[in-house]
Amino acid sequence: MIGKLISFSLRNRMIVLLIAAGMFGWGVYSVTTNKVDAIPDLSENQVIVFTEWMGRSPQIIEDQVTYPLVTNLQGMPQVKYVRGVSMFGMSFIYIIFEDQADIYWARERVLERLNYANRLLPEGAIPTLGPDGTGVGHILWYTLDAPGMDLGEQRAIQDWYVKFSLQNVPGVSEIASFGGFQKQYQITVDPNKLTYYNLSVPQVMAAVRANNNESGGRKFEMSDIGYIIKTTGYLKSTEEIENIPIVTQNTIPVSVRDIATVQMTGETRLGIFDLNGEGEAVGGIVVMRYGENAEEVIRNVKTKMEEVSAGLPKGVKFNIVYDRSGLINESVDSVKTTLIEEMLVASAIVFLFLFHWRSALIIIIQLPLSIAIGFILLNAFGITSNIMSLTGIALSIGVIVDDAIVMVENAYRHLADAQTQEEHG
């Protein structure tokens, strides 16, 4: 069969050359479209369900949140196993699917089950899906360089301007904010005053909720003009909260200021983010969506950052802390350099041993053609260009060169023998 294949190739050289040129062109296109990353994504095909029910112990979370969710999320198609983790005020469920399952199909199946499981959870515990990213999806970290601005204002800029802008970049799954203070109104109740006025904490909470809303009315016409009535009651300052009446005792209203202090402060924090030992900082983590091109996403995020910078307050700018594109470029460039060096060295050695430039030319042509065809297969199997796959290609060049040297030397020897026989015959 091999002899017939060689004979067919020799008789139909144009067809073989056209096929090789077509494969090489397809391979070059595959090289340009292949996704690039520094490391391969070997994480499991999983969907994360996060439920927050603050103030409850891990055992209560386990009994009333984690256990009902785990039992109801089992039995879905293509699920390998379901893991549950309970901690103070939070529950995490990890649903691991088979590798061939599409991640977005898996998320839809989980959402279907959550619609049923919601009725089994206590009031206030609402499960949500985690981002459609993986453990190696943290491709870029940044902080806000804002000298003279307090951490609360920096966090407000990050949460209400920067985050929403960067989330619109294609391929970004989530912008996770960190550091600073999240502003909130806090009512600190004095228990002695509560006892004096014979009040309870639920009464205070109900009064604040009732006075922080907006109600709609009906439409009425007057002088052939239609008017829509509504009441605006959203709280906008600490003074308005302090003036909220809770109950009336002996015709005297008891307000929030009588039993508590109200202040604007930051949400209670469980940790801080320190940058290089120079103090606290505020920033965000760019999480890449599952299966995206890391190099392209990072480039688009940096371009978006330049646009966002125009709307930042004077003196505020981005400070990139971690950027995977540097590792990506260094890894790819290193392997590319190795490939070129191997091609040149192999061709030079063949030329020196055989002293025949056509034989060396065959090696030079075969190496890039084989590599280009390899990228066709990388795209077909959804494998990115990373330090592992490119190193595999670099190592395989040795096998390709060995094969080429043996075949070329064998052909060269047979041609030389045939030429010698013709001269003596």
Side-chain angles (χ1 to χ4, degrees):
M1 184 183 71
I2 296 177
K4 291 182 179 179
L5 181 61
I6 295 174
S7 177
F8 173 82
S9 301
L10 291 174
R11 289 195 303 268
N12 301 275
R13 297 179 183 178
M14 287 303 298
I15 295 177
V16 174
L17 290 175
L18 287 175
I19 293 175
M23 295 293 289
F24 183 73
W26 187 8
V28 171
Y29 173 77
S30 299
V31 171
T32 58
T33 57
N34 188 249
K35 298 175 181 178
V36 182
D37 203 343
I39 53 178
D41 188 355
L42 303 178
S43 59
E44 294 180 300
N45 197 5
Q46 68 177 2
V47 179
I48 302 175
V49 177
F50 167 69
T51 309
E52 188 175 32
W53 198 30
M54 296 307 296
R56 275 72 179 185
S57 67
Q59 187 61 49
I60 295 296
I61 295 291
E62 175 72 23
D63 295 339
Q64 299 194 29
V65 178
T66 303
Y67 179 78
L69 287 178
V70 168
T71 54
N72 280 274
L73 290 173
Q74 290 176 338
M76 289 185 293
Q78 300 191 45
V79 170
K80 290 196 292 186
Y81 36 80
V82 181
R83 303 169 180 160
V85 178
S86 302
M87 59 185 67
F88 183 79
M90 291 179 286
S91 168
F92 292 90
I93 311 295
Y94 302 91
I95 305 99
I96 313 300
F97 285 82
E98 299 288 347
D99 292 337
Q100 67 270 17
D102 179 72
I103 185 64
Y104 296 104
W105 174 88
R107 292 171 69 87
E108 289 177 1
R109 300 287 80 77
V110 173
L111 281 175
E112 289 177 359
R113 287 296 185 92
L114 286 181
N115 290 334
Y116 171 79
N118 275 337
R119 65 183 183 85
L120 304 175
L121 301 181
E123 184 179 357
I126 303 175
T128 57
L129 289 188
D132 50 345
T134 64
V136 296
H138 295 192
I139 56 175
L140 188 141
W141 289 40
Y142 66 88
T143 60
L144 296 179
D145 187 3
M149 183 178 293
D150 67 69
L151 295 173
E153 293 178 346
Q154 292 185 42
R155 183 59 184 260
I157 294 173
Q158 162 63 24
D159 286 342
W160 300 103
Y161 175 61
V162 176
K163 178 179 179 179
F164 295 150
S165 300
L166 296 183
Q167 276 184 340
N168 293 325
V169 176
V172 173
S173 172
E174 180 188 24
I175 303 295
S177 301
F178 57 78
F181 294 92
Q182 292 180 277
K183 293 183 179 180
Q184 63 178 202
Y185 292 103
Q186 289 185 357
I187 302 174
T188 306
V189 179
D190 187 338
N192 295 324
K193 293 182 178 179
L194 275 182
T195 304
Y196 177 79
Y197 289 106
N198 195 23
L199 296 175
S200 63
V201 174
Q203 286 180 283
V204 179
M205 296 172 60
V208 174
R209 287 199 183 101
N211 284 270
N212 185 39
N213 57 24
E214 184 170 313
S215 301
R218 63 185 297 273
K219 175 187 175 184
F220 75 97
E221 294 186 4
M222 185 173 62
S223 302
D224 296 330
I225 300 177
Y227 296 90
I228 298 176
I229 302 175
K230 71 179 182 71
T231 59
T232 300
Y234 285 132
L235 300 171
K236 299 179 180 178
S237 65
T238 56
E239 290 76 13
E240 292 182 0
I241 299 176
E242 290 175 344
N243 294 329
I244 292 175
I246 302 173
V247 294
T248 301
Q249 296 181 354
N250 299 324
T251 70
I252 300 175
V254 179
S255 61
V256 172
R257 71 167 67 247
D258 297 325
I259 53 93
T261 57
V262 182
Q263 60 181 348
M264 176 182 284
T265 182
E267 185 179 358
T268 303
R269 303 188 299 173
L270 300 178
I272 64 172
F273 183 86
D274 181 86
L275 180 61
N276 298 329
E278 299 174 357
E280 293 188 51
V282 175
I285 303 172
V286 179
V287 182
M288 182 181 67
R289 185 169 287 120
Y290 179 85
E292 293 290 337
N293 189 339
E295 183 186 40
E296 182 180 358
V297 174
I298 293 173
R299 184 171 61 250
N300 294 337
V301 168
K302 290 182 178 178
T303 302
K304 189 67 175 180
M305 281 181 171
E306 295 178 0
E307 300 177 8
V308 174
S309 297
L312 292 175
K314 187 177 180 180
V316 180
K317 59 183 179 180
F318 287 104
N319 175 33
I320 295 180
V321 179
Y322 166 73
D323 182 2
R324 195 190 292 176
S325 61
L327 179 59
I328 293 173
N329 295 332
E330 290 178 4
S331 303
V332 175
D333 292 343
S334 175
V335 177
K336 283 182 179 178
T337 304
T338 303
L339 293 177
I340 295 173
E341 290 175 352
E342 288 183 344
M343 290 168 56
L344 295 177
V345 170
S347 302
I349 290 176
V350 171
F351 180 76
L352 289 175
F353 273 87
L354 300 179
F355 211 70
H356 191 253
W357 69 271
R358 290 184 179 178
S359 300
L361 182 63
I362 292 174
I363 305 296
I364 295 175
I365 294 175
Q366 184 175 356
L367 283 175
L369 179 60
S370 302
I371 294 171
I373 295 174
F375 274 93
I376 296 175
L377 297 176
L378 287 182
N379 278 357
F381 289 100
I383 301 174
T384 62
S385 294
N386 54 68
I387 192 170
M388 297 292 289
S389 59
L390 293 179
T391 302
I393 293 177
L395 293 175
S396 67
I397 286 181
V399 180
I400 298 172
V401 170
D402 290 344
D403 174 68
I405 290 175
V406 171
M407 296 300 294
V408 168
E409 192 276 336
N410 188 43
Y412 182 81
R413 181 174 58 82
H414 280 287
L415 289 173
D417 292 343
Q419 187 175 5
T420 302
Q421 291 178 0
E422 289 180 1
E423 292 175 355
H424 291 289

